[in-house]
Amino acid sequence: LPAGLSQWFPALEVLDVSGTGLTEMGTELLSLPCLHTLLAKNNRLGGPGSLPKGLEQAPLARSLRVLNLSGNRFSEVPPALLQLRGLRSLSLGGNRLHSIPPDIQELHSLEFLYLGGNFIAAIPPELAKLPSLRYLVLCDNKIQSIPPQLAQLHSLRSLSLHNNLLTYLPREILNLVHLEELSLRGNPLVVRFVRDLTYNPPSLQELAGRTVKTRNVPYAPSDLPDSLVRYLSLASNCPNPKCGGVYFDSCVRQIKFVDFCGKYRLPLMHYLCSPECSSPFSSASQSSTSQSESDSEDEASVAAHRMQKVLLG
C-alpha cells in the first residue's frame, strides 16, 4: 500500500485494492480509523507478513465491517482476523484453506461468511456459536458431514453446500427455522438407504445413566462425583416417539428419507438409542414406497413451509 495513505485520506471508509498483485499490506492500513470496507480480492496475499503486525490492536480492528480476501493464497485463516470483533462480512473463498479454526466463534457480529472454493474437509461445531450469521457459503470444498450443532444458527437464511462430499444431512437441519435457501447440488447424497450394522453395546456406565434418566431417579450434585453429574447432563433423547429412551455414547445410526418442498427427498441422519428402536423407522429403508412417503409426512410438513428453495441440480 502507498506510504502516506492515512495522511492523504484520513477519513477513508472504503478501500479496494483487488487485482493489484499485492503480496502484503503495510502498516499504513492500521492508521485508517474510519475504514469499514476493505476489498483485496485476487492478489497474492497469504505468505508470512501478508497482514500488518498489530492489526488486532489498531483502530481498524474496531471500525472494519467488511473484509474480502478471496482469490488469494492463504492456507489458514490468519489469527489476527479472528480479533476483528466488529466484522460483519468475511470472504476467504478461492484460497488454500484446509480447515476452519474453532476461534471463528469469536466473530460474534458476523452475518456473512464465504469460504467456498477451498480444501476444507470438516466444519467445527464452534461455527454454530455465531448468533448473527445469516449467510454461510461452504460450497466447492471437501466436506463429508455437517455437525448437528449447526441447527443452533437460528438466524441463518442461506446455506450453500454444493459440490462437496456429503452423503447425508443431520436431522437437526430441520430446526433451522429461518432457512430459505439450501444448495446441495454436486454432492453424492445417497439415493438408497444403507444401514450400518455395527453397533457397540452400551457400557455399564451408560446403562446405569440410561436407567437414571428414563426412570427419573432423583439425585443432587452432592450425591455423585462431578464427572458423573456432567455425564448425566449429556443424555440425548431418542427421536423415536414410541421409545422415550435416552442414549449417551452408544447409538444406532439410521438414514431416513424426508420430502422437502414436495419435490426432493433428502437423506437425514437419525441417532436411535438401540437397534430395537429402528422398527418404527424401518420404512425409511424403502424410500420409493408409499409407506416411506407417509412415514416422513410429519417432517416434510415441518420442512416445506420453512425452506423456500432447495437446489439439488
Side-chain angles (χ1 to χ4, degrees):
L1 295 178
L5 182 63
S6 59
Q7 297 176 359
W8 299 336
F9 306 103
L12 189 66
E13 296 183 354
V14 179
L15 176 61
D16 188 349
V17 290
S18 301
T20 56
L22 279 179
T23 58
E24 63 180 50
M25 291 188 284
T27 55
E28 285 296 317
L29 192 67
L30 305 181
S31 304
L32 297 171
C34 301
L35 191 69
H36 61 70
T37 299
L38 174 58
L39 310 177
K41 303 178 293 182
N42 304 323
N43 284 299
R44 291 180 289 172
L45 300 168
S50 291
L51 301 179
K53 292 182 179 180
L55 178 61
E56 58 272 21
Q57 283 88 32
L60 185 65
R62 295 184 295 274
S63 66
L64 201 61
R65 297 291 181 266
V66 178
L67 177 60
N68 193 326
L69 295 173
S70 291
N72 280 284
R73 302 177 181 181
F74 290 100
S75 58
E76 63 178 14
V77 178
L81 299 188
L82 304 176
Q83 303 299 318
L84 304 178
R85 303 299 170 82
L87 211 57
R88 296 177 183 170
S89 175
L90 174 61
S91 299
L92 281 165
N95 277 276
R96 302 171 181 177
L97 305 178
H98 285 80
S99 63
I100 304 173
D103 285 346
I104 194 79
Q105 65 182 313
E106 301 298 330
L107 301 178
H108 299 297
S109 300
L110 205 61
E111 299 178 4
F112 177 91
L113 179 60
Y114 190 105
L115 296 174
N118 283 287
F119 303 96
I120 298 168
I123 302 173
E126 289 81 4
L127 189 63
K129 297 180 180 180
L130 296 175
S132 303
L133 196 63
R134 294 166 59 89
Y135 301 93
L136 176 58
V137 182
L138 296 168
C139 60
D140 299 291
N141 278 287
K142 298 182 181 298
I143 299 169
Q144 299 184 40
S145 63
I146 304 300
Q149 289 86 349
L150 285 196
Q152 300 169 20
L153 292 173
H154 301 301
S155 298
L156 201 64
R157 298 291 193 276
S158 177
L159 177 58
S160 296
L161 294 166
H162 52 272
N163 299 331
N164 276 287
L165 302 175
L166 297 171
T167 56
Y168 67 87
L169 298 174
R171 178 179 180 272
E172 289 80 1
I173 199 169
L174 298 178
N175 295 328
L176 292 174
V177 295
H178 297 298
L179 196 63
E180 298 174 354
E181 183 172 281
L182 174 64
S183 179
L184 292 166
R185 65 183 184 275
N187 280 283
L189 291 169
V190 294
V191 294
R192 295 176 58 192
F193 175 80
V194 179
R195 184 188 297 274
D196 186 354
L197 296 178
T198 60
Y199 172 66
N200 296 320
S203 64
L204 291 177
Q205 176 175 279
E206 175 153 351
L207 288 173
R210 290 187 180 197
T211 300
V212 169
K213 286 295 186 178
T214 56
R215 297 187 179 182
N216 294 316
V217 176
Y219 66 90
S222 58
D223 300 330
L224 299 170
D226 291 342
S227 59
L228 289 181
V229 174
R230 287 193 298 269
Y231 180 77
L232 289 171
S233 69
L234 297 176
S236 298
N237 293 322
C238 183
N240 182 352
K242 298 181 180 180
C243 172
V246 300
Y247 64 87
F248 292 86
D249 303 311
S250 179
C251 61
V252 176
R253 292 167 34 135
Q254 186 183 60
I255 293 176
K256 180 181 178 184
F257 288 83
V258 173
D259 290 324
F260 273 67
C261 302
K263 297 190 216 177
Y264 308 109
R265 297 185 64 75
L266 296 184
L268 302 185
M269 181 65 77
H270 293 249
Y271 297 90
L272 307 174
C273 68
S274 70
E276 289 74 21
C277 280
S278 62
S279 56
F281 297 97
S282 60
S283 59
S285 63
Q286 305 166 359
S287 62
S288 61
T289 67
S290 59
Q291 177 60 38
S292 173
E293 292 176 1
S294 63
D295 189 39
S296 62
E297 281 180 358
D298 291 342
E299 288 179 336
S301 63
V302 171
H305 76 276
R306 291 180 183 172
M307 202 79 65
Q308 296 180 7
K309 187 185 297 183
V310 178
L311 305 176
L312 290 177

